Amino acid sequence: MSNFSKYLSKNWLDDPKSNILSGLVVAFAMIPEAIAFSGIAGVDPKVGLFGAFCLSITIAIVGGRRGMITSATGSTALLMTGVVDIGGAYTKLGLSYLIATGLLTGLFQILWGYLRLAYQMRFVPSGVLSGFVNALALLIFQAQFYQLGIGINEAKLLKSEMGRYPTIDQIPTVWILVIIGLIIIYGFPKITKVVPSQLVAIVLLTLISVYFKLEIPTVNDLGTLPTDFPRFSLPFGNLEDGKVPFNLSTLGLILPASLAISLVGLIETFLTQDILDDATDTSSNKNKEARGQGIANIISSLFGGMAGCALVGQSVMNNENGGKSRLSTLTSGLSLLLLIILLKPWIGAIPMAALVAIMITISISTADLNGLKNIRKIPKSDTAVMLMTFAITMLTKPHNLALGVIAGVALAAILFSRKVAKVITVSKAKDRNLITYKVKGQLFFVSKIYFLQEFDIHEHPENIVIDMSLAHIWDQSGVVALEQILRKFQNGGSKVEIVGLNKESLDLFERLGGIGSSH
């Protein structure tokens, strides 16, 4: 009982007033983003709002980090557009594919949690993370182009999409409101930080739009808003009913997106977790968080919401406002849906220009501006890795953040291997009929060529000693290289002795052939 009381005190009952108030403020900040991310994914606002509600409630209970906010996010929404497009003009079918993708995403994340993927994330270099957030920032910014009237081809728009985007006559008004929104978002915190500036921008721009009866796209034009609590449903069934078949064909369609969303979502979640761990001087279980994110995404999908991950901005906001327990996360989720249902008419009247302004600020805060500013000071190898991650993400169609991360990690590994390869050295000491070669460094497939170049295989004294006491053999290529030197000296008539091999290197050398090898 004492352990349970300690758990409640630490996770739920610590400073309840601050946590409840912080959760309420965060709920206000989550509303516009959940709606905007729904627009990016191409689904009704209620899908993002249901997702934000279900994710927050679930992660408050099963998550690995107290006080972290999980909701629909831009990084995951961007990866959903291709899945929704599978349904074509049939919105319900596209949504069913999206829900099925969320279910598989959750299963993957639970698997990653049990496979301890978080430990592997420690090896993701800073250059990859920089390229990841920069690509994410640009993709979020690009997703606002249509709402700004940029790149719209009205001839190719479906009838159902016509009202979502501004017409030529509406574009100037939209731009003016976006600029006003940006001024409020960046200027209001200089007056006070008690109320989120994003919320102030939404309220003021909505009042302007309603008072002057501006005919511009609003949240209502995006689709349906919630009228009640989400209900349990499965996405599988007959195509005629807007459901997807439960078969291998469906699995093949949703597998790439599910895999990408599961990895990208966890990368952003772990980044957020690190930020909060550092800010609170505490530690949290990333593998438990991965499993929790998976469970939350499954619950969200089963109740008609989109998959998501941790939100950096809202998590930091929650922490700064005193939301350090699970109660703040739970409160944010409960408050979110209650606010939506109670304030539905006003939320539907929010101009899309207000959400565009918010998304632009999110894209700016997401980018690694400090890294870009100091790019000349950063090692060229790190810059190359950042650019590789960024380029692969932007060049793939649809844009694939997961593939960008994989490409960046691969390049970082190659560049690191080349650096390590050059640190292997071989010194030579000659004493009459004895030559001693002293090897220092790491011997593996990349350093093999530098290792071989250091030996004079044309000089054959009576005795040769190869001292490996300051070296380590890592793989078969290292064994083959050492055997090659050994064989050439022996073929020249020299008596060769290898000394100083540590236990791991000696075991590998003997297991793969070693001194007794006949080739």
Side-chain angles (χ1 to χ4, degrees):
M1 189 65 181
S2 60
N3 289 336
F4 182 67
S5 299
K6 190 181 294 184
Y7 166 80
L8 286 177
S9 175
K10 183 178 180 181
N11 289 274
W12 294 94
L13 303 179
D14 181 28
D15 194 5
K17 180 182 177 181
S18 296
N19 280 278
I20 290 173
L21 288 176
S22 179
L24 182 60
V25 172
V26 169
F28 276 105
M30 288 167 66
I31 292 172
E33 291 192 10
I35 295 171
F37 293 140
S38 299
I40 290 176
V43 293
D44 289 341
K46 71 175 184 180
V47 180
L49 293 168
F50 280 166
F53 166 74
C54 293
L55 289 167
S56 295
I57 298 297
T58 309
I59 208 67
I61 300 169
V62 300
R65 166 75 237 181
R66 301 188 303 274
M68 191 159 72
I69 304 299
T70 293
S71 179
T73 63
S75 58
T76 54
L78 287 164
L79 295 168
M80 296 175 186
T81 55
V83 177
V84 175
D85 288 343
I86 296 174
Y90 300 97
T91 307
K92 286 187 177 180
L93 190 58
L95 177 59
S96 293
Y97 276 114
L98 178 65
I99 300 302
T101 300
L103 291 172
L104 186 56
T105 295
L107 291 175
F108 272 130
Q109 290 180 327
I110 293 172
L111 176 63
W112 302 149
Y114 281 110
L115 292 178
R116 299 177 178 271
L117 181 66
Y119 292 134
Q120 312 310 318
M121 290 294 185
R122 295 177 300 174
F123 303 109
V124 177
S126 298
V128 173
L129 298 179
S130 178
F132 171 82
V133 296
N134 288 333
L136 175 58
L138 182 57
L139 290 173
I140 292 174
F141 183 73
Q142 283 183 339
Q144 310 314 307
F145 281 4
Y146 278 11
Q147 289 297 343
L148 291 169
I150 300 173
I152 297 179
N153 188 340
E154 294 188 11
K156 291 186 177 181
L157 290 179
L158 299 172
K159 272 190 176 181
S160 59
E161 297 177 324
M162 293 296 289
R164 290 186 178 184
Y165 309 116
T167 62
I168 294 176
D169 295 335
Q170 296 170 345
I171 290 175
T173 304
V174 169
W175 276 73
I176 291 171
L177 289 181
V178 169
I179 292 170
I180 293 173
L182 291 172
I183 293 172
I184 294 171
I185 292 170
Y186 286 117
F188 191 76
K190 296 179 180 179
I191 301 172
T192 178
K193 294 184 179 180
V194 174
V195 182
S197 60
Q198 295 97 329
L199 181 61
V200 176
I202 286 175
V203 172
L204 290 180
L205 292 183
T206 302
L207 290 173
I208 291 172
S209 177
V210 172
Y211 181 78
F212 290 101
K213 297 180 180 179
L214 301 178
E215 293 187 2
I216 54 176
T218 65
V219 169
N220 275 330
D221 295 317
L222 282 183
T224 309
L225 284 167
T227 55
D228 54 11
F229 287 89
R231 297 178 181 178
F232 179 88
S233 66
L234 289 171
F236 306 110
N238 298 320
L239 290 172
E240 295 78 12
D241 300 326
K243 302 288 187 177
V244 298
F246 187 72
N247 55 28
L248 291 177
S249 177
T250 299
L251 178 63
L253 290 172
I254 67 174
L255 181 62
S258 298
L259 187 58
I261 294 169
S262 71
L263 293 172
V264 169
L266 287 185
I267 289 173
E268 189 165 353
T269 295
F270 293 156
L271 281 172
T272 306
Q273 209 167 345
D274 284 337
I275 291 171
L276 291 184
D277 284 354
D278 182 60
T280 60
D281 196 24
T282 57
S283 60
S284 54
N285 190 326
K286 284 189 172 66
N287 291 306
K288 181 180 179 181
E289 183 64 39
R291 297 192 294 270
Q293 292 285 330
I295 295 169
N297 279 323
I298 289 174
I299 297 295
S300 174
S301 300
L302 290 174
F303 284 90
M306 60 196 291
C309 64
L311 285 167
V312 178
Q314 276 69 17
S315 296
V316 172
M317 179 194 299
N318 188 44
N319 179 68
E320 291 178 348
N321 291 337
K324 302 183 188 299
S325 77
R326 297 180 184 273
L327 183 60
S328 62
T329 309
L330 181 68
T331 303
S332 68
L334 290 172
S335 302
L336 174 71
L337 199 62
L338 290 174
L339 287 169
I340 295 164
I341 294 173
L342 294 174
L343 303 176
K344 181 183 174 183
W346 280 99
I347 290 175
I350 295 173
M352 289 304 300
L355 300 185
V356 169
I358 290 173
M359 297 309 295
I360 289 174
T361 61
I362 288 174
S363 68
I364 292 172
S365 63
T366 298
D368 181 18
L369 297 179
N370 187 54
L372 294 173
K373 189 187 302 182
N374 298 301
I375 196 166
R376 292 185 178 180
K377 300 178 182 179
I378 296 173
K380 291 181 179 179
S381 58
D382 288 352
T383 301
V385 169
M386 184 272 286
L387 292 175
M388 171 65 82
T389 306
F390 179 84
I392 294 298
T393 299
M394 299 307 299
L395 292 175
T396 49
K397 299 293 181 180
H399 302 297
N400 195 322
L401 287 159
L403 193 59
V405 169
I406 292 171
V409 170
L411 179 61
I414 293 171
L415 294 176
F416 175 74
S417 296
R418 292 189 60 174
K419 286 181 181 179
V420 173
K422 293 179 181 179
V423 300
I424 194 166
T425 58
V426 180
S427 59
K428 176 182 176 183
K430 189 173 182 180
D431 182 18
R432 296 184 181 179
N433 291 324
L434 172 66
I435 293 180
T436 301
Y437 289 97
K438 196 174 187 67
V439 183
K440 182 180 181 181
Q442 314 302 315
L443 182 55
F444 63 118
F445 69 99
V446 179
S447 63
K448 171 184 175 180
I449 184 67
Y450 301 99
F451 172 78
L452 294 173
Q453 289 173 351
E454 295 294 325
F455 290 88
D456 186 356
I457 58 174
H458 301 294
E459 187 174 8
H460 299 286
E462 185 177 341
N463 296 292
I464 294 177
V465 174
I466 301 176
D467 186 353
M468 301 287 291
S469 57
L470 298 177
H472 188 95
I473 302 176
W474 288 100
D475 60 8
Q476 184 180 4
S477 295
V479 172
V480 170
L482 186 55
E483 283 189 320
Q484 188 175 339
I485 292 298
L486 177 65
R487 186 172 65 254
K488 288 184 177 181
F489 279 142
Q490 287 176 336
N491 290 341
S494 299
K495 181 182 178 183
V496 185
E497 183 182 6
I498 298 174
V499 299
L501 280 173
N502 58 40
K503 185 178 185 305
E504 293 82 2
S505 299
L506 181 60
D507 288 345
L508 183 64
F509 191 67
E510 292 179 341
R511 188 168 69 250
L512 298 181
I515 298 173
S517 175
S518 60
H519 61 278

